[in-house]
Amino acid sequence: MKHFTPRRLAAAAGAFLLIASLAGCRNTGRDPAPTPLQPEYHTPNKLPSYTLTEDTTDYRELALAVFEKMEAAPAESFQYDVTEAGGIRLTAYTGKGGAVILPDAIEGKPVTTLGQGLFRDSEIITALSIPESVTNIETDLLTGCRTIKVLRTPQLGPTREADGYLAYFFGADTPKGMGFKVPSALDTIILTDSATALSDEAFLDCSRLRMVLLPDTLTSIGDFAFFGCSQLHFVPLPAALKTVGRYAFANCTSLVQMHIGTNVSTIGLGALMGCQSLQQLSLPFLGEGRDAKMSSLGHVFGAEAYTHNAGYVPKALCRVTLTEGDVPDYAFYGCKGLAEVILPATCERIGIRAFYGCENLRGITFPDSLRSIGELAFAHCTGMSTVVFNQGLSDMGIQAFLDCYNLTEITLPDSLTSLPASAFAECRCLTTLTLGKGLTSIGAQAFRNCSSLTTINGAKPSLHIAQGNEYLAQLLNQTE
C-alpha cells in the first residue's frame, strides 16, 4: 500500500484542479463535469419580447386639414382701424366663428396688429389662423376662448422679437402656471415659417397639447420649452435645428419616438428626462455636444455621469440610432433595456465598456468603417445572440465579449490578426467558431469556459494559442 506524502497530496490536488479547469467544471454537488471532448451544452437565455409602437399617422396633414380649402374671413367680420404706420389693426370680431382664417390685408393695407381682447370670451371659435403679415399681438387675444382646438400663428408673444409663450394669448403675464391658463380643448399648435427660435418655457406645463408643428426655419428650442407636456404625441424637429435646450422635452410622458437631426450641435442636459414612454430615439451624438467630456446616453435623460445611465434611461427605450461619429467610452453603460442599437456608417471606434451590461441587447452589426472595439465593450451583454463582424476590424480589447452568454456562432474577420485575452470568455452557449485567415494568435483564456464549443473552422497550423485555452487546443487537435 502506497503512503501519500504531503508532496504527493499537493501534486494530486493540482492535477485535479487542472482537469477541472480544462473542462470548465463547477462544483455543483452532482456528477463530475464532462471532459473537454465531451462538452457541457448550455441553453441560451430566453429574453423578454418587445414590440415597437409604429405610428404611421400623418399628423401634419391632419393638423393642416383644418384650414384646407378655406378662405380668409371677409373684412365685414371685423371692426378695425388704421395704425400710424399704415397697417390694419383688428379691434373686434363679429363673424360666425368656427375655424377662422384672419385676412392678411384689408382695403389694400396689410393686417399688422391684433387688438387687445379681439376674441375675448368667444364661445364660437374652434380654430384660428394668424397670417404672416401680423407682427404685433396685443394682450388677451384669446382669453376665455374655451372652445379653441387649433391655433396657427407666426409668433407666441406680442412681437416677433419678444420671448413668447403660449399662455400669452390667454392673458398670462408669465409662463408660470401656464397650464391653468391654456384651455383644455386646445390640442394642436402650428408655428408658421417666420419663427427661428422657440423661447424658454414656451409651452411649459401645457399638459393637454397633443401636437406641435414647428417651422422649417426653427434653429433653437429653449430650456424647458415643452416641459410637462404630458399628452404630447407628435413634435417633429426641423432639419435646420441646431440647439435643443436643457429639459426641453422633460416629462413629455406620451412621446414614443424622437428624431434629433444631424445639424444639431448642442443637446442640453435632461432634454428628454422623464419621457418614460419613449421607445425609439435617433440622435447624432451622445452628450451635450460632439466634443463633450461626458458622452453617454444618460445625458439626454438627465444623468450627469455614465454610472447613472440605468436610473435615468427609460425602461421603454428599445431602439437607439446613432447617426454619426464613433461610440464613446461608457456610451451605453448599464442600459439594460436596450434591445437594438444601430451604429453610424462612419463609426471607426467603439469605446471602452461602451455597451457594458446591456443585458437585453439582441445583437449588433458593425459598419464597414469599424476598426477598433475597446476593452469590455460588450461585456455582460448576456442577451446578445448575434454579432456580425466587418472586414477591416483590426483591433479588439481584452474581455470585449466577456460573458455574452447567448452567442452561439462567431465568424471572425480576416482583418483581425490577434485575439486578446478573455475576448469571448464565459460564452457558454458558443458552438461554432470560424477563425479569420489573418488570425495568428489567440490570447490567454480567450475562450475560457466556452464549454459548448464543438466546431472550429479556418484554423492555421501556425496559429499561436496562449495558455488558458487548453480546451480549444484539444478540440483543434481532434479536428485535425
Side-chain angles (χ1 to χ4, degrees):
M1 181 175 179
K2 294 183 178 180
H3 295 281
F4 289 91
T5 64
R7 179 178 296 177
R8 286 179 176 174
L9 287 171
F16 175 79
L17 290 175
L18 175 62
I19 293 172
S21 66
L22 294 179
C25 70
R26 293 170 294 175
N27 184 12
T28 60
R30 298 191 295 269
D31 293 333
T35 63
L37 299 184
Q38 294 177 338
E40 176 185 356
Y41 291 98
H42 298 269
T43 303
N45 293 333
K46 291 184 178 180
L47 300 177
S49 60
Y50 74 99
T51 302
L52 293 174
T53 300
E54 298 289 351
D55 191 349
T56 59
T57 305
D58 191 338
Y59 290 98
R60 183 179 294 275
E61 182 178 351
L62 287 175
L64 297 177
V66 174
F67 303 106
E68 189 176 1
K69 298 180 180 180
M70 285 186 59
E71 295 181 356
E76 304 84 67
S77 299
F78 302 94
Q79 296 176 15
Y80 56 89
D81 53 32
V82 180
T83 67
E84 293 182 0
I88 295 295
R89 175 178 178 266
L90 303 181
T91 58
Y93 175 70
T94 57
K96 296 180 180 180
V100 177
I101 298 178
L102 299 183
D104 58 8
I106 293 177
E107 297 180 359
K109 298 179 179 65
V111 175
T112 59
T113 303
L114 304 184
Q116 183 177 7
L118 178 60
F119 295 99
R120 189 201 303 268
D121 296 328
S122 173
E123 296 287 341
I124 58 174
I125 300 295
T126 58
L128 179 66
S129 177
I130 301 172
E132 291 287 324
S133 61
V134 171
T135 57
N136 184 26
I137 300 175
E138 297 178 4
T139 59
D140 293 318
L141 178 72
L142 295 166
T143 299
C145 295
R146 295 181 297 176
T147 57
I148 189 168
K149 297 179 179 179
V150 180
L151 173 63
R152 181 165 65 180
T153 176
Q155 63 196 56
L156 291 174
T159 65
R160 295 279 207 277
E161 295 76 22
D163 289 340
Y165 50 93
L166 182 58
Y168 171 78
F169 291 104
F170 300 95
D173 295 328
T174 71
K176 307 303 181 185
M178 183 155 52
F180 297 102
K181 288 284 187 177
V182 177
S184 59
L186 183 62
D187 62 15
T188 301
I189 301 294
I190 304 169
L191 288 177
T192 52
D193 281 346
S194 60
T196 59
L198 198 61
S199 302
D200 296 349
E201 304 178 339
F203 298 100
L204 179 71
D205 288 331
C206 292
S207 58
R208 302 298 180 92
L209 282 183
R210 293 178 58 83
M211 177 168 32
V212 176
L213 299 186
L214 300 174
D216 293 338
T217 53
L218 197 74
T219 59
S220 67
I221 294 175
D223 297 345
F224 299 91
F226 292 90
F227 186 99
C229 293
S230 57
Q231 295 299 313
L232 191 64
H233 281 70
F234 182 71
V235 53
L237 303 185
L241 190 66
K242 296 180 180 179
T243 302
V244 179
R246 297 177 304 117
Y247 307 101
F249 295 92
N251 294 343
C252 291
T253 53
S254 295
L255 281 178
V256 295
Q257 59 187 33
M258 175 64 72
H259 174 74
I260 301 175
T262 56
N263 283 324
V264 170
S265 57
T266 302
I267 301 175
L269 178 68
L272 295 170
M273 187 179 75
C275 294
Q276 60 191 32
S277 299
L278 195 68
Q279 296 183 13
Q280 301 185 61
L281 173 63
S282 175
L283 68 176
F285 54 84
L286 305 175
E288 185 171 8
R290 286 173 173 81
D291 300 321
K293 293 181 180 180
M294 209 291 286
S295 302
S296 68
L297 179 63
H299 169 85
V300 76
F301 297 104
E304 297 187 67
Y306 72 86
T307 52
H308 298 160
N309 279 351
Y312 282 80
V313 176
K315 295 179 181 179
L317 187 63
C318 296
R319 177 186 292 163
V320 172
T321 300
L322 194 61
T323 54
E324 63 178 65
D326 295 338
V327 180
D329 297 346
Y330 304 96
F332 298 95
Y333 182 94
C335 295
K336 296 181 179 182
L338 286 182
E340 299 177 57
V341 175
I342 300 172
L343 301 178
T346 57
C347 180
E348 296 184 358
R349 175 183 179 271
I350 294 176
I352 296 170
R353 301 191 186 211
F355 293 89
Y356 187 100
C358 293
E359 59 188 35
N360 202 36
L361 190 66
R362 265 54 172 182
I364 195 81
T365 298
F366 299 124
D368 293 339
S369 57
L370 189 68
R371 298 292 176 265
S372 173
I373 298 175
E375 298 177 6
L376 291 155
F378 293 91
H380 307 299
C381 290
T382 53
M384 193 160 60
S385 59
T386 59
V387 175
V388 180
F389 289 102
N390 63 298
Q391 294 297 335
L393 178 68
S394 57
D395 180 63
M396 184 184 296
I398 62 172
Q399 299 182 331
F401 294 89
L402 172 70
D403 195 29
C404 289
Y405 187 96
N406 269 19
L407 279 180
T408 58
E409 184 174 346
I410 295 171
T411 299
L412 298 176
D414 296 339
S415 54
L416 192 65
T417 58
S418 64
L419 204 60
S422 302
F424 294 94
E426 307 297 335
C427 292
R428 295 173 179 267
C429 293
L430 183 64
T431 60
T432 304
L433 171 64
T434 299
L435 305 177
K437 295 178 182 178
L439 194 67
T440 59
S441 65
I442 295 178
Q445 303 190 64
F447 293 93
R448 182 183 72 244
N449 283 343
C450 293
S451 52
S452 295
L453 188 61
T454 57
T455 304
I456 301 179
N457 303 314
K460 298 189 300 184
S462 59
L463 182 63
H464 177 264
I465 302 176
Q467 64 181 358
N469 293 300
E470 286 80 3
Y471 176 75
L472 180 69
Q474 289 187 41
L475 188 59
L476 283 171
N477 288 336
Q478 186 187 55
T479 302
E480 294 174 359

